[in-house]
Amino acid sequence: MAFRLFVPILAGATLRERIIACIGATIGIALTGAIGGLVLGNGPHVPLLVAPMGASAVLLFAVPASPLAQPWSIIGGNTVSALVGVVVAHFIHETALATGIAVALAIAAMSFTRCLHPPGGAAALTAVLGGPAVTSAGFLFPFVPVALNSMLLVTLGYGFHKLARRNYPHLPASVPANSHGTIDPPAQLRVGFRPEDIDAALGALDETFDIDRNDLDRLLRQVELQAMVRTHKSLRCEDIMSRDVISVDEHTPAETARQLLLDHNIRTLPVVGEEARLAGTVGLRELALASGTVGSAISPAATASADSAAIGLLPVLTDSRSHAVIVIDDDKRILGLITQTDLLAATARLQAADKPWPGATR
């Protein structure tokens, strides 16, 4: 425990992620410096071109989901801070005082322009302490090399993350909307904690966290789901699925499919394609105006494996769009189907089993 201060506190940091970050930083910084040298020419001023970018690269490649690592944070934060530093250096000639004021005003300027970026503090300091190279550049310094360098780094980071199949720029999770056109919150937001609970918790902790509020909401809901899956992991999809599944193929007439939905009082029909593999699903929503065959009205199917935890289907079956999950094997052949009613009945029985009768003892 004596060394716990040296343990990284960054959640989700795996060896693979760190290796990717190192490769990305190598490519990003090297190419940014090389391209900057080609544009501006080589000389004693070249190291200053990339100095604050080293810290920017740590955020861009190691924690690309951070609000501090997004494109506007990097480009705006470095540029605005460098501009602040140049202005402060122009009016205040006492170095110690100028450095403190430059960093403080850089934080304020980045906050007001919504581009808070920690390396911006280094950009402000560089503008004050950069020496003859920065002094000779004057008010051009925040734009060339700082803004140019920042844009190059972001562009290279964007391309690298796409190749690495990482999400960048990171878009915070959107709040689920009610698909029924009413003002009620969607079903999954009517239970458990609410957005105001997150605000109250953040207010009580009185700290700033490096995570978007909507991402925090999504993380906490996933924690709730994983806790439920762990608690009820013995209940598998194969335990509650319907095995006599009514399905159609891609060449079934739309009118026939509509009649099957009505005759069997169901809301979803799996559609099979070649070699009896699942191709998608159709329901009354897709078939309402469809003509010809069901192949023209197929929607992507929500699927699960037979040994998946049934409780894990809750987010899908409460999204206001999916009425059933198709249980398939490794070859995408249909094994069964789980509806909202199936899962509701199973969870009700689980709750009844966990809750003793009034007056009973365990």
Side-chain angles (χ1 to χ4, degrees), residues 168-192:
Y168 186 84
H170 177 72
L171 299 177
S174 59
V175 178
N178 189 325
S179 61
H180 301 300
T182 62
I183 63 173
D184 289 321
Q188 63 267 44
L189 298 185
R190 295 177 208 163
V191 295

Side-chain angles (χ1 to χ4, degrees), residues 327-348:
V327 182
I328 57 175
D329 62 15
D330 293 338
D331 293 322
K332 296 188 68 177
R333 291 187 171 87
I334 300 172
L335 300 176
L337 179 145
I338 298 174
T339 66
Q340 295 166 322
T341 303
D342 295 330
L343 188 59
L344 177 61
T347 53

Side-chain angles (χ1 to χ4, degrees), residues 10 17-33 49-66 68-70 73-75 78 117-120 122 149-158 160-161 166 168:
L10 191 64
E17 288 293 302
R18 288 295 158 261
I19 292 175
I20 291 176
C22 292
I23 295 172
T26 300
I27 297 172
I29 289 297
L31 287 180
T32 298
L49 298 176
V50 295
M53 300 305 117
S56 294
V58 173
L59 290 170
L60 175 60
F61 295 103
V63 282
S66 169
L68 307 177
Q70 301 315 297
S73 294
I74 295 176
I75 298 171
N78 284 326
H117 186 59
N149 232 206
S150 300
M151 289 188 287
L152 285 173
L153 186 64
V154 167
T155 301
L156 293 167
Y158 174 82
F160 177 82
H161 287 310
R166 300 170 105 193
Y168 186 84

